[in-house]
Amino acid sequence: MPVPKGSTIDPERTRAGIIEAAAPLLYERGLDGIGVAELCARIGVSKETVYRYFGTKDGLIQAVLEARSERVTAWIAGAAAAAGDDPREQLAAVFDELQRWYEEPTFRGCAMQNAAAQHQVEAVRTVTARHLDRRLGLLTAIAERAGAVDPDALGRQLLLLVEGATLIAAHHDPTGAGHHAKQAALALLPANRPSRAARATPDAKPNDVEVSAD
């Protein structure tokens, strides 16, 4: 992305622009499916510029993955939040949003899963693990709001369904992958979420619990 003559270079803006331009190419072609020379030619920057801002191609890959993780995490969390306060609706919204993604013509699977399989270096594994931790945190929070006895265990089960559905959609058949996983996920949630009062006083008898609309 050449800078017009006479313009002031903003390092942060330039760096962000390179990441934004490189991300779809690396996702489509694979991290090792496009060389530095071609990548630079396609996004309109010199190799020297890439090396100046990222050190190496691996440095650019790490930055692209980190930016994508933040964006995807915010997207999924936003879908859950938009579904309201009911954790069942929040969880359903997560899988519905994933299914819409699976059906997009540009869908090539999870960039983090792909990265871990394609480019086995420590920095990529670290970004992938951090991404999964973020997703696990969201799912565990939903499990906790649903009144799960062991939210941590349920969160991990839900994560397996999310990642498994994404893998199936990418490498087998995207048709209904998210919807099938959603039904399995909802079946894992407690049938009836306890009221706020019941969660605050686990030993309370039924007649002692104030009815809550949450």
Side-chain angles (χ1 to χ4, degrees):
M1 52 200 68
V3 177
K5 187 175 181 179
S7 299
T8 301
I9 296 176
D10 181 340
E12 287 303 316
R13 183 176 179 182
T14 300
R15 188 176 190 277
I18 294 172
I19 291 171
E20 183 178 0
L25 285 171
L26 291 171
Y27 180 62
E28 179 186 359
R29 296 277 294 275
L31 302 183
D32 298 322
I34 183 169
V36 175
E38 183 184 358
L39 180 64
C40 290
R42 293 283 298 275
I43 65 178
V45 299
S46 66
K47 288 193 288 186
E48 290 75 13
T49 299
V50 168
Y51 295 146
R52 182 185 313 127
Y53 284 96
F54 303 97
T56 61
K57 181 188 175 185
D58 280 348
L60 174 59
I61 286 172
Q62 183 178 352
V64 166
L65 291 175
E66 287 174 343
R68 186 178 182 93
S69 175
E70 291 174 2
R71 185 171 66 253
V72 169
T73 299
W75 161 54
I76 293 296
D85 296 331
D86 187 334
R88 296 186 70 83
E89 294 297 329
Q90 292 173 352
L91 187 59
V94 168
F95 285 96
D96 287 343
E97 198 68 14
L98 289 172
Q99 182 61 50
R100 281 189 282 272
W101 177 42
Y102 301 159
E103 294 170 357
E104 291 180 0
T106 56
F107 175 68
R108 298 290 186 276
C110 172
M112 303 303 153
Q113 289 181 353
N114 296 346
Q118 297 169 1
H119 204 68
Q120 299 181 20
V121 298
E122 186 62 32
V124 168
R125 286 195 293 268
T126 298
V127 174
T128 300
R130 188 159 54 240
H131 175 74
L132 292 175
D133 282 340
R134 288 170 172 165
R135 182 160 290 175
L136 177 60
L138 170 67
L139 296 170
T140 300
I142 292 176
E144 186 171 9
R145 288 193 293 273
V149 175
D150 190 341
D152 291 335
L154 180 52
R156 290 185 177 279
Q157 292 174 324
L158 297 175
L159 180 63
L160 287 170
L161 287 170
V162 167
E163 297 305 309
T166 303
L167 188 66
I168 292 298
H171 299 289
H172 184 253
D173 185 0
T175 307
H179 296 320
H180 294 310
K182 176 177 72 174
Q183 295 306 314
L186 292 175
L188 291 173
L189 290 187
N192 295 303
R193 185 164 63 116
S195 69
R196 184 181 294 113
R199 293 196 298 274
T201 56
D203 296 329
K205 297 177 181 179
N207 291 339
D208 297 331
V209 175
E210 179 183 344
V211 176
S212 172
D214 75 340

